[in-house]
Amino acid sequence: MNQGERDALVHAPLARWSRERAGQTAIDDGHERLSFAQLQQSIERLRPTLEGAAPTVMVDCQQSTTAQLVEFLAVIESGRCAAVSDPDWTAPVLAAVGERLAALPAPAAVPCGPSAPFYIGFTSGSSGLPKGFRRDHGSWVESLRICVDSFGPEAAGKVLAPGRISHSLFLFGMLLGLWTGGGVVLQERFSAARAIETLRRGDATCLVAVPSQLLMMLEWSARRGLAPITATRLILISGARWMRERTPELQALFPNARVVEFYGASETSFIAWQEADAATPYEVAGRPFANVEIEIRGPRDAQGNGLIYVRSPMLFIDYVGGQADATAALRDGDWLSVRDMGRIDEQGRLCLAGRQNRMIVTQGKNLFPDEVESRLASCPGIAGASVQGLPDPIRGQQVVAVVQLAAAADAKRPPLTAQDLAAWCREQLEPYKVPRRFLVCTDWPLTSSGKTDHHRIRQRLERLQDQPDSGAVPCLHRLP
């Protein structure tokens, strides 16, 4: 392997940083701190334990996040592929995933080079079993490179990545800090208070976060009347749609930070991005990254939305275990679609409508739940929303909203009613998009990556439809 190929490995810069930045902190989780030299030593200590290991090694998810990250790096430095499970998986799920990994065909030799697989992550599959996606070194090195190229030196500072290694967004944030030599700050469990204190002290200048974390940080700081945090230089938001109406609050808390939203997927890495702005229309995802091409294909709806296809050097290899299903990405040569639908507007920006398999046809019109869910989630007292379409003899499908109430809602404000939520939706949505029914879910289901599990919510709704008076779904009840 020549030097150019060696540089295209995710872990390649670590040896350099262990020499040039030996005493600088590489990983800090609040309990343990490793310098770049110590990190390299820890990786080398694990190397003998990998001799004779299979080409794919499952990282022990019961360790601390720091230990998981060190093991991950040791596995990929050995030329193997690291599979990252979730500590919340049940024993049967973990065993089933392990069986699928064991069934992968073994190469004649341990692969090495930019095209070699280094990482298997997991998303929720339609069968209920996590669906593994496999990435190669070159695709993530290109993702790291375009991140720094797009967002400048601020992306090369110390990164606060306050999430699990099993969430690909946070794993990317961790590897970004190590790849650039800036270092990374971790959290075993997300704490708004600790995240704010880390940023206030300037222990990290770049934050990678999902919207729910930012909302908790805003609420925590507002309750305590915190002064603006001036050390933060870059906030990268992904994992779900950012509530743009909260952008002024975020900018007031972090006045010196560039706030960026980006859209992508586990199978594609980055696709589009934009500066967060409260005035930007809801559906706009931004302009493509410099190394990404976008095409809109297939039948279009009345707004011009079709299937979004992308071509870039950042695409995944494949799914492991042949797990093609209704949620799997579509390939056409060098092009890939994760089945999101959208269009390109007059300004060249990608506009997202929603996921193809969640589209609702009601009153002869196409409705994508994402827009309605975002509107509901911005309502005070609502912590989450899932919009579903149920059979209706007149409308084709009836729009039903299932909501999660915020923990402190009852104590701080009058109880929400269905009329309140309908009125809230009517302020910004066309009449056909306003849900006809509202239900509360007291046991909110999440996927392994921490997102709302819309599939499980739909199953509960269908059981409720079939047996409305049986009490078979005690966690669902109508909002008065």
Side-chain angles (χ1 to χ4, degrees), residues 107-167:
V110 174
C112 199
S115 61
F118 83 101
Y119 163 50
I120 295 175
F122 296 88
T123 62
S124 299
S126 60
S127 66
L129 192 65
K131 183 169 70 230
F133 58 90
R134 187 159 50 174
R135 302 298 304 258
D136 62 47
H137 280 274
S139 68
W140 263 43
V141 168
E142 181 65 13
S143 303
L144 294 163
R145 182 196 66 78
I146 199 65
C147 181
V148 175
D149 284 356
S150 300
F151 309 132
E154 290 82 6
K158 183 171 287 186
V159 176
L160 171 58
R164 291 175 171 176
I165 189 174
S166 56
H167 192 311

Short mmCIF file of all heavy atoms in Angstrom, two decimals, residues 107-167:
data_model
loop_
_atom_site.label_atom_id
_atom_site.label_comp_id
_atom_site.label_asym_id
_atom_site.label_seq_id
_atom_site.Cartn_x
_atom_site.Cartn_y
_atom_site.Cartn_z
N PRO A 107 -12.92 -12.86 3.47
CA PRO A 107 -11.95 -12.65 2.39
C PRO A 107 -10.76 -13.59 2.56
O PRO A 107 -10.52 -14.14 3.63
CB PRO A 107 -11.54 -11.19 2.57
CG PRO A 107 -11.78 -10.91 4.02
CD PRO A 107 -12.96 -11.74 4.42
N ALA A 108 -10.01 -13.77 1.49
CA ALA A 108 -8.85 -14.65 1.53
C ALA A 108 -7.80 -14.14 2.51
O ALA A 108 -7.05 -14.90 3.10
CB ALA A 108 -8.25 -14.80 0.13
N ALA A 109 -7.74 -12.81 2.67
CA ALA A 109 -6.79 -12.21 3.61
C ALA A 109 -7.46 -10.98 4.20
O ALA A 109 -8.45 -10.48 3.69
CB ALA A 109 -5.50 -11.82 2.89
N VAL A 110 -6.92 -10.53 5.34
CA VAL A 110 -7.46 -9.32 5.95
C VAL A 110 -7.29 -8.16 4.97
O VAL A 110 -6.17 -7.86 4.56
CB VAL A 110 -6.75 -9.00 7.28
CG1 VAL A 110 -7.23 -7.66 7.83
CG2 VAL A 110 -7.02 -10.10 8.29
N PRO A 111 -8.38 -7.53 4.52
CA PRO A 111 -8.27 -6.47 3.52
C PRO A 111 -7.61 -5.22 4.08
O PRO A 111 -7.62 -4.98 5.27
CB PRO A 111 -9.73 -6.20 3.13
CG PRO A 111 -10.50 -6.57 4.36
CD PRO A 111 -9.77 -7.73 4.97
N CYS A 112 -7.04 -4.44 3.20
CA CYS A 112 -6.42 -3.19 3.62
C CYS A 112 -6.49 -2.21 2.46
O CYS A 112 -6.36 -2.60 1.31
CB CYS A 112 -4.97 -3.44 4.02
SG CYS A 112 -4.26 -2.13 5.03
N GLY A 113 -6.72 -0.95 2.77
CA GLY A 113 -6.78 0.06 1.72
C GLY A 113 -8.07 0.84 1.79
O GLY A 113 -8.99 0.51 2.53
N PRO A 114 -8.18 1.92 0.99
CA PRO A 114 -9.33 2.81 1.04
C PRO A 114 -10.66 2.13 0.75
O PRO A 114 -11.70 2.53 1.28
CB PRO A 114 -9.01 3.86 -0.04
CG PRO A 114 -7.53 3.81 -0.18
CD PRO A 114 -7.12 2.39 0.07
N SER A 115 -10.66 1.08 -0.08
CA SER A 115 -11.92 0.42 -0.44
C SER A 115 -12.29 -0.70 0.53
O SER A 115 -13.32 -1.35 0.37
CB SER A 115 -11.83 -0.15 -1.86
OG SER A 115 -10.79 -1.11 -1.94
N ALA A 116 -11.47 -0.92 1.55
CA ALA A 116 -11.74 -1.99 2.52
C ALA A 116 -12.81 -1.54 3.51
O ALA A 116 -12.80 -0.39 3.96
CB ALA A 116 -10.47 -2.36 3.27
N PRO A 117 -13.75 -2.42 3.88
CA PRO A 117 -14.73 -2.05 4.90
C PRO A 117 -14.07 -1.86 6.25
O PRO A 117 -13.20 -2.63 6.64
CB PRO A 117 -15.69 -3.25 4.91
CG PRO A 117 -14.90 -4.39 4.37
CD PRO A 117 -13.94 -3.80 3.39
N PHE A 118 -14.48 -0.82 6.96
CA PHE A 118 -13.92 -0.57 8.28
C PHE A 118 -15.00 -0.47 9.36
O PHE A 118 -14.70 -0.56 10.55
CB PHE A 118 -13.09 0.73 8.29
CG PHE A 118 -13.90 1.99 8.48
CD1 PHE A 118 -13.97 2.61 9.72
CD2 PHE A 118 -14.61 2.54 7.42
CE1 PHE A 118 -14.73 3.76 9.90
CE2 PHE A 118 -15.37 3.69 7.59
CZ PHE A 118 -15.42 4.31 8.84
N TYR A 119 -16.26 -0.31 8.95
CA TYR A 119 -17.32 0.00 9.92
C TYR A 119 -18.64 -0.57 9.44
O TYR A 119 -19.02 -0.44 8.28
CB TYR A 119 -17.40 1.52 10.06
CG TYR A 119 -18.65 2.09 10.70
CD1 TYR A 119 -19.15 1.60 11.90
CD2 TYR A 119 -19.33 3.16 10.11
CE1 TYR A 119 -20.28 2.15 12.48
CE2 TYR A 119 -20.45 3.72 10.68
CZ TYR A 119 -20.93 3.21 11.87
OH TYR A 119 -22.05 3.75 12.45
N ILE A 120 -19.33 -1.25 10.37
CA ILE A 120 -20.73 -1.65 10.15
C ILE A 120 -21.56 -1.00 11.25
O ILE A 120 -21.35 -1.23 12.44
CB ILE A 120 -20.90 -3.18 10.20
CG1 ILE A 120 -20.15 -3.84 9.03
CG2 ILE A 120 -22.39 -3.55 10.14
CD1 ILE A 120 -20.18 -5.36 9.07
N GLY A 121 -22.47 -0.15 10.82
CA GLY A 121 -23.42 0.45 11.74
C GLY A 121 -24.79 -0.14 11.48
O GLY A 121 -24.98 -0.94 10.55
N PHE A 122 -25.77 0.27 12.26
CA PHE A 122 -27.10 -0.34 12.15
C PHE A 122 -28.19 0.72 12.21
O PHE A 122 -28.12 1.67 12.99
CB PHE A 122 -27.31 -1.37 13.27
CG PHE A 122 -26.37 -2.53 13.19
CD1 PHE A 122 -25.13 -2.48 13.82
CD2 PHE A 122 -26.71 -3.66 12.46
CE1 PHE A 122 -24.24 -3.55 13.74
CE2 PHE A 122 -25.83 -4.74 12.37
CZ PHE A 122 -24.60 -4.68 13.01
N THR A 123 -29.17 0.54 11.34
CA THR A 123 -30.39 1.36 11.37
C THR A 123 -31.55 0.41 11.58
O THR A 123 -31.41 -0.81 11.52
CB THR A 123 -30.58 2.14 10.06
OG1 THR A 123 -30.72 1.21 8.97
CG2 THR A 123 -29.40 3.05 9.79
N SER A 124 -32.73 0.96 11.80
CA SER A 124 -33.90 0.12 12.05
C SER A 124 -34.40 -0.48 10.75
O SER A 124 -34.62 0.23 9.77
CB SER A 124 -35.02 0.94 12.70
OG SER A 124 -34.58 1.44 13.93
N GLY A 125 -34.59 -1.78 10.74
CA GLY A 125 -35.15 -2.47 9.57
C GLY A 125 -36.65 -2.63 9.71
O GLY A 125 -37.21 -2.58 10.81
N SER A 126 -37.35 -2.84 8.59
CA SER A 126 -38.80 -2.97 8.63
C SER A 126 -39.23 -4.26 9.32
O SER A 126 -40.36 -4.39 9.78
CB SER A 126 -39.37 -2.93 7.20
OG SER A 126 -38.84 -3.99 6.42
N SER A 127 -38.32 -5.24 9.42
CA SER A 127 -38.64 -6.50 10.08
C SER A 127 -38.50 -6.40 11.60
O SER A 127 -38.86 -7.33 12.32
CB SER A 127 -37.71 -7.61 9.58
OG SER A 127 -36.37 -7.34 9.98
N GLY A 128 -37.98 -5.29 12.09
CA GLY A 128 -37.74 -5.14 13.52
C GLY A 128 -36.32 -5.46 13.91
O GLY A 128 -35.86 -5.07 14.98
N LEU A 129 -35.60 -6.20 13.05
CA LEU A 129 -34.20 -6.50 13.32
C LEU A 129 -33.34 -5.39 12.73
O LEU A 129 -33.56 -4.98 11.59
CB LEU A 129 -33.82 -7.84 12.69
CG LEU A 129 -32.48 -8.44 13.13
CD1 LEU A 129 -32.52 -8.80 14.60
CD2 LEU A 129 -32.17 -9.68 12.28
N PRO A 130 -32.37 -4.86 13.49
CA PRO A 130 -31.53 -3.77 12.96
C PRO A 130 -30.89 -4.17 11.63
O PRO A 130 -30.45 -5.31 11.44
CB PRO A 130 -30.49 -3.58 14.06
CG PRO A 130 -31.15 -4.05 15.30
CD PRO A 130 -32.02 -5.20 14.87
N LYS A 131 -30.84 -3.22 10.73
CA LYS A 131 -30.29 -3.45 9.40
C LYS A 131 -28.88 -2.88 9.35
O LYS A 131 -28.66 -1.70 9.59
CB LYS A 131 -31.20 -2.75 8.36
CG LYS A 131 -30.77 -2.98 6.92
CD LYS A 131 -31.84 -2.50 5.95
CE LYS A 131 -31.95 -0.98 5.95
NZ LYS A 131 -33.26 -0.45 6.11
N GLY A 132 -27.90 -3.75 9.05
CA GLY A 132 -26.51 -3.32 9.04
C GLY A 132 -26.11 -2.69 7.72
O GLY A 132 -26.47 -3.18 6.66
N PHE A 133 -25.38 -1.58 7.80
CA PHE A 133 -24.82 -0.95 6.60
C PHE A 133 -23.30 -0.93 6.73
O PHE A 133 -22.76 -0.70 7.80
CB PHE A 133 -25.37 0.47 6.40
CG PHE A 133 -25.09 1.40 7.55
CD1 PHE A 133 -23.94 2.18 7.60
CD2 PHE A 133 -25.99 1.51 8.61
CE1 PHE A 133 -23.69 3.03 8.66
CE2 PHE A 133 -25.75 2.36 9.67
CZ PHE A 133 -24.59 3.12 9.70
N ARG A 134 -22.62 -1.18 5.63
CA ARG A 134 -21.16 -1.31 5.67
C ARG A 134 -20.51 -0.15 4.92
O ARG A 134 -20.89 0.18 3.81
CB ARG A 134 -20.75 -2.66 5.06
CG ARG A 134 -19.31 -2.98 5.18
CD ARG A 134 -19.04 -4.47 5.04
NE ARG A 134 -19.68 -5.07 3.87
CZ ARG A 134 -19.48 -6.34 3.50
NH1 ARG A 134 -18.69 -7.12 4.22
NH2 ARG A 134 -20.08 -6.82 2.43
N ARG A 135 -19.50 0.45 5.57
CA ARG A 135 -18.80 1.60 5.00
C ARG A 135 -17.33 1.27 4.80
O ARG A 135 -16.74 0.49 5.56
CB ARG A 135 -18.92 2.81 5.94
CG ARG A 135 -20.34 3.25 6.24
CD ARG A 135 -21.07 3.69 4.99
NE ARG A 135 -20.37 4.74 4.30
CZ ARG A 135 -20.69 6.03 4.34
NH1 ARG A 135 -21.73 6.42 5.04
NH2 ARG A 135 -20.00 6.92 3.66
N ASP A 136 -16.72 1.88 3.79
CA ASP A 136 -15.28 1.69 3.58
C ASP A 136 -14.51 2.93 4.03
O ASP A 136 -15.08 4.00 4.23
CB ASP A 136 -14.96 1.32 2.13
CG ASP A 136 -15.35 2.39 1.13
OD1 ASP A 136 -15.04 3.58 1.36
OD2 ASP A 136 -15.95 2.05 0.09
N HIS A 137 -13.21 2.76 4.21
CA HIS A 137 -12.35 3.85 4.68
C HIS A 137 -12.48 5.08 3.79
O HIS A 137 -12.64 6.21 4.26
CB HIS A 137 -10.89 3.40 4.69
CG HIS A 137 -10.51 2.57 5.87
ND1 HIS A 137 -10.10 3.11 7.06
CD2 HIS A 137 -10.47 1.22 6.04
CE1 HIS A 137 -9.80 2.15 7.92
NE2 HIS A 137 -10.03 0.99 7.33
N GLY A 138 -12.36 4.88 2.48
CA GLY A 138 -12.32 6.01 1.56
C GLY A 138 -13.54 6.89 1.64
O GLY A 138 -13.45 8.12 1.57
N SER A 139 -14.73 6.28 1.84
CA SER A 139 -15.96 7.07 1.87
C SER A 139 -16.01 7.97 3.10
O SER A 139 -16.49 9.11 3.03
CB SER A 139 -17.18 6.15 1.84
OG SER A 139 -17.29 5.40 3.04
N TRP A 140 -15.50 7.47 4.24
CA TRP A 140 -15.53 8.31 5.45
C TRP A 140 -14.39 9.31 5.48
O TRP A 140 -14.54 10.40 6.01
CB TRP A 140 -15.56 7.44 6.71
CG TRP A 140 -16.97 7.27 7.22
CD1 TRP A 140 -18.06 7.02 6.45
CD2 TRP A 140 -17.44 7.35 8.56
NE1 TRP A 140 -19.19 6.94 7.24
CE2 TRP A 140 -18.84 7.13 8.54
CE3 TRP A 140 -16.81 7.56 9.78
CZ2 TRP A 140 -19.62 7.13 9.68
CZ3 TRP A 140 -17.60 7.56 10.93
CH2 TRP A 140 -18.98 7.37 10.89
N VAL A 141 -13.25 8.96 4.94
CA VAL A 141 -12.17 9.95 4.84
C VAL A 141 -12.63 11.11 3.97
O VAL A 141 -12.38 12.29 4.27
CB VAL A 141 -10.88 9.31 4.30
CG1 VAL A 141 -9.86 10.39 3.92
CG2 VAL A 141 -10.28 8.38 5.35
N GLU A 142 -13.33 10.79 2.88
CA GLU A 142 -13.86 11.85 2.02
C GLU A 142 -14.90 12.68 2.77
O GLU A 142 -14.97 13.90 2.61
CB GLU A 142 -14.48 11.24 0.76
CG GLU A 142 -15.06 12.24 -0.22
CD GLU A 142 -14.03 13.17 -0.86
OE1 GLU A 142 -12.82 12.88 -0.75
OE2 GLU A 142 -14.43 14.17 -1.48
N SER A 143 -15.70 12.03 3.62
CA SER A 143 -16.69 12.75 4.43
C SER A 143 -16.00 13.69 5.42
O SER A 143 -16.43 14.84 5.61
CB SER A 143 -17.57 11.75 5.19
OG SER A 143 -18.20 10.85 4.32
N LEU A 144 -14.93 13.22 6.05
CA LEU A 144 -14.18 14.05 6.98
C LEU A 144 -13.53 15.23 6.25
O LEU A 144 -13.55 16.37 6.73
CB LEU A 144 -13.11 13.21 7.68
CG LEU A 144 -13.65 12.10 8.61
CD1 LEU A 144 -12.55 11.08 8.91
CD2 LEU A 144 -14.20 12.69 9.89
N ARG A 145 -13.00 14.95 5.08
CA ARG A 145 -12.33 16.00 4.30
C ARG A 145 -13.32 17.08 3.88
O ARG A 145 -13.05 18.28 4.04
CB ARG A 145 -11.67 15.39 3.06
CG ARG A 145 -10.89 16.41 2.22
CD ARG A 145 -10.59 15.89 0.83
NE ARG A 145 -11.80 15.71 0.02
CZ ARG A 145 -12.47 16.70 -0.57
NH1 ARG A 145 -12.06 17.96 -0.42
NH2 ARG A 145 -13.54 16.45 -1.29
N ILE A 146 -14.49 16.68 3.35
CA ILE A 146 -15.44 17.67 2.86
C ILE A 146 -16.04 18.46 4.02
O ILE A 146 -16.42 19.62 3.87
CB ILE A 146 -16.55 17.01 2.01
CG1 ILE A 146 -17.26 18.05 1.14
CG2 ILE A 146 -17.55 16.27 2.87
CD1 ILE A 146 -16.39 18.69 0.09
N CYS A 147 -16.10 17.85 5.20
CA CYS A 147 -16.59 18.57 6.38
C CYS A 147 -15.66 19.74 6.70
O CYS A 147 -16.12 20.87 6.91
CB CYS A 147 -16.68 17.61 7.56
SG CYS A 147 -17.31 18.36 9.08
N VAL A 148 -14.36 19.48 6.73
CA VAL A 148 -13.39 20.55 7.03
C VAL A 148 -13.35 21.56 5.88
O VAL A 148 -13.28 22.78 6.12
CB VAL A 148 -12.01 19.94 7.29
CG1 VAL A 148 -10.97 21.04 7.50
CG2 VAL A 148 -12.04 19.03 8.52
N ASP A 149 -13.40 21.07 4.65
CA ASP A 149 -13.38 21.99 3.50
C ASP A 149 -14.60 22.91 3.50
O ASP A 149 -14.50 24.08 3.14
CB ASP A 149 -13.35 21.20 2.19
CG ASP A 149 -11.97 20.60 1.89
OD1 ASP A 149 -11.03 20.87 2.67
OD2 ASP A 149 -11.85 19.87 0.90
N SER A 150 -15.75 22.38 3.89
CA SER A 150 -16.99 23.16 3.83
C SER A 150 -17.12 24.13 4.99
O SER A 150 -17.61 25.25 4.82
CB SER A 150 -18.21 22.22 3.83
OG SER A 150 -18.18 21.35 2.72
N PHE A 151 -16.69 23.71 6.18
CA PHE A 151 -16.94 24.50 7.38
C PHE A 151 -15.70 25.15 7.96
O PHE A 151 -15.78 25.86 8.97
CB PHE A 151 -17.63 23.63 8.43
CG PHE A 151 -18.84 22.91 7.90
CD1 PHE A 151 -19.03 21.56 8.12
CD2 PHE A 151 -19.78 23.58 7.13
CE1 PHE A 151 -20.14 20.90 7.61
CE2 PHE A 151 -20.88 22.94 6.61
CZ PHE A 151 -21.07 21.59 6.84
N GLY A 152 -14.55 24.94 7.33
CA GLY A 152 -13.35 25.68 7.69
C GLY A 152 -12.66 25.18 8.94
O GLY A 152 -12.97 24.11 9.47
N PRO A 153 -11.70 25.96 9.44
CA PRO A 153 -10.90 25.53 10.59
C PRO A 153 -11.71 25.27 11.85
O PRO A 153 -11.26 24.54 12.74
CB PRO A 153 -9.92 26.70 10.78
CG PRO A 153 -10.53 27.86 10.07
CD PRO A 153 -11.29 27.28 8.93
N GLU A 154 -12.91 25.84 11.94
CA GLU A 154 -13.74 25.59 13.11
C GLU A 154 -14.09 24.11 13.24
O GLU A 154 -14.31 23.60 14.34
CB GLU A 154 -15.03 26.42 13.05
CG GLU A 154 -14.83 27.91 13.25
CD GLU A 154 -14.39 28.62 11.96
OE1 GLU A 154 -14.35 27.94 10.90
OE2 GLU A 154 -14.08 29.82 12.03
N ALA A 155 -14.16 23.41 12.10
CA ALA A 155 -14.47 21.98 12.12
C ALA A 155 -13.28 21.15 12.56
O ALA A 155 -13.42 19.95 12.80
CB ALA A 155 -14.94 21.53 10.74
N ALA A 156 -12.11 21.77 12.66
CA ALA A 156 -10.90 21.05 13.07
C ALA A 156 -10.55 21.32 14.53
O ALA A 156 -9.46 20.96 14.98
CB ALA A 156 -9.73 21.43 12.16
N GLY A 157 -11.44 21.96 15.26
CA GLY A 157 -11.21 22.19 16.68
C GLY A 157 -11.63 20.98 17.50
O GLY A 157 -12.00 19.94 16.96
N LYS A 158 -11.58 21.12 18.82
CA LYS A 158 -12.00 20.01 19.68
C LYS A 158 -13.51 19.87 19.60
O LYS A 158 -14.25 20.85 19.69
CB LYS A 158 -11.56 20.22 21.12
CG LYS A 158 -11.91 19.04 22.04
CD LYS A 158 -11.30 19.16 23.41
CE LYS A 158 -9.80 18.92 23.36
NZ LYS A 158 -9.21 18.89 24.73
N VAL A 159 -13.98 18.63 19.40
CA VAL A 159 -15.39 18.35 19.15
C VAL A 159 -16.06 17.81 20.40
O VAL A 159 -15.53 16.90 21.06
CB VAL A 159 -15.53 17.33 18.00
CG1 VAL A 159 -17.00 16.96 17.78
CG2 VAL A 159 -14.92 17.88 16.71
N LEU A 160 -17.23 18.34 20.74
CA LEU A 160 -18.10 17.74 21.74
C LEU A 160 -19.11 16.88 20.99
O LEU A 160 -19.92 17.40 20.22
CB LEU A 160 -18.81 18.80 22.57
CG LEU A 160 -19.92 18.30 23.52
CD1 LEU A 160 -19.38 17.28 24.52
CD2 LEU A 160 -20.57 19.48 24.24
N ALA A 161 -19.03 15.56 21.20
CA ALA A 161 -19.94 14.62 20.55
C ALA A 161 -20.69 13.87 21.65
O ALA A 161 -20.30 12.77 22.05
CB ALA A 161 -19.17 13.65 19.66
N PRO A 162 -21.78 14.45 22.17
CA PRO A 162 -22.44 13.92 23.38
C PRO A 162 -23.46 12.82 23.09
O PRO A 162 -24.65 12.95 23.41
CB PRO A 162 -23.10 15.17 23.96
CG PRO A 162 -23.48 15.96 22.75
CD PRO A 162 -22.40 15.70 21.73
N GLY A 163 -23.01 11.74 22.47
CA GLY A 163 -23.92 10.65 22.16
C GLY A 163 -23.19 9.33 22.10
O GLY A 163 -21.97 9.26 22.27
N ARG A 164 -23.92 8.29 21.83
CA ARG A 164 -23.35 6.95 21.79
C ARG A 164 -22.57 6.71 20.52
O ARG A 164 -22.90 7.24 19.45
CB ARG A 164 -24.46 5.91 21.90
CG ARG A 164 -25.14 5.84 23.25
CD ARG A 164 -26.29 4.86 23.21
NE ARG A 164 -26.83 4.63 24.55
CZ ARG A 164 -27.89 3.88 24.78
NH1 ARG A 164 -28.55 3.30 23.78
NH2 ARG A 164 -28.32 3.70 26.02
N ILE A 165 -21.58 5.83 20.62
CA ILE A 165 -20.81 5.42 19.45
C ILE A 165 -21.70 4.66 18.46
O ILE A 165 -21.42 4.60 17.26
CB ILE A 165 -19.59 4.58 19.89
CG1 ILE A 165 -18.65 4.31 18.71
CG2 ILE A 165 -20.01 3.29 20.53
CD1 ILE A 165 -17.37 3.60 19.12
N SER A 166 -22.81 4.07 18.96
CA SER A 166 -23.71 3.33 18.09
C SER A 166 -24.54 4.23 17.19
O SER A 166 -25.19 3.75 16.25
CB SER A 166 -24.65 2.45 18.93
OG SER A 166 -25.37 3.24 19.86
N HIS A 167 -24.54 5.53 17.44
CA HIS A 167 -25.22 6.51 16.58
C HIS A 167 -24.18 7.05 15.61
O HIS A 167 -23.20 7.67 16.02
CB HIS A 167 -25.81 7.62 17.45
CG HIS A 167 -26.77 8.52 16.72
ND1 HIS A 167 -26.50 9.09 15.51
CD2 HIS A 167 -28.03 8.93 17.07
CE1 HIS A 167 -27.53 9.83 15.13
NE2 HIS A 167 -28.47 9.74 16.05
#
